[in-house]
Amino acid sequence: MILDVDTGNDDAVAIIMAATHPAIELLGCTTVAGNLSLEETTDNTLRVLNAIDRSDIEVHAGLSRPFAPKPYTSGANEVEDVFHESTLPVGTSGLQPLSRHGVEWLIETLRQTTRQVTLISVAPLTNIAAAITVAPDILDAIDEVVLMGGASTFGNRTLAAEFNMFTDAVAANVVLRAGITRLTMAALDATHEVLVSRDDLHRYRALGTRAGDVAAAVTEYYIDGYEASVSPVGVGSSAPPHDALCVAYAIDPKVLDITEAYVEVDTVSPHNYGRTTVDFHGYRGEPANARFAKHADSARFHRILDECLRGTCRAV
């Protein structure tokens, strides 16, 4: 697996799961600007890995700006910054990324591999779109692309658009139109059906593991953000761990309820920029290009996450 991140708080939990589960061989992480600047996402990624004793995992800094500029900026969620800390409270790594050529590393790694690779992107799709554009032959090495992004009914960056899609809508369309055989989308439809509560955080801390402590620390701030925002998501003191659901799916695909659909992203409308149009019924006459997650199994997700944090993961 390769994990593409813009670490932030929910990305940190995804990194922990990918770095601790024995069924996953994490070849490396690429970072991109999204939740935070490239420097911040890269530093946070390094410090999360260091905090759970996995500094052996390679980190490569990718692109610092979108694949294409956004023509519209109005209508954004004004409380977005309350969700992600520029410096996560997980200690200091004192480390630097192995390279600052994340796109080139992606291409080189996928060209050289003799095994199929799962590529998980829980960030704007800038790095992935750039790699595919420069080297379309790398698609042959990809078993599946799993991405956190999109929604069929509502947005969280604007009324219409999910954050990752809005941040680099053109890149998202490049990936969706690339002809990837297996492209799975963990959309807001599914991620909002899984909540982590403050009671869960107490359980993570009680485990007495580094992974449990780090997951609790980063998720507490995330829950605070949801409580401070105008978002209707959340029941009491809780928040959806969006990005972690992608890694949970890679470990156990039954965690997501998948529907084949044709998906495209709006890159022109001033009111719907970044919105994902999801055609479940074939009205467009286009073949399905995505496996869209409409629902998620919350109990199964929590079982997987708990096992990772407890250090009792079993290979599947």
Side-chain angles (χ1 to χ4, degrees), residues 219-289:
T219 307
E220 185 167 29
Y221 185 90
Y222 205 56
I223 292 174
D224 290 343
Y226 269 89
E227 289 184 334
S229 77
V230 295
S231 171
V233 177
V235 178
S237 297
S238 61
H242 303 283
D243 297 344
L245 194 59
C246 290
V247 179
Y249 163 81
I251 295 167
D252 182 357
K254 292 180 180 178
V255 79
L256 292 180
D257 178 13
I258 300 295
T259 301
E260 300 275 347
Y262 174 74
V263 182
E264 64 181 5
V265 183
D266 190 314
T267 61
V268 295
S269 168
H271 301 295
N272 289 312
Y273 183 83
R275 178 179 182 175
T276 43
T277 299
V278 186
D279 183 4
F280 293 115
H281 305 293
Y283 293 135
R284 292 288 303 277
E286 299 282 356
N289 61 350

Side-chain angles (χ1 to χ4, degrees), residues 188-195 240 294-298:
L188 294 182
D189 308 56
T191 66
H192 281 189
E193 292 186 347
V194 177
L195 298 175
K294 297 177 69 174
H295 301 287
D297 186 331
S298 180

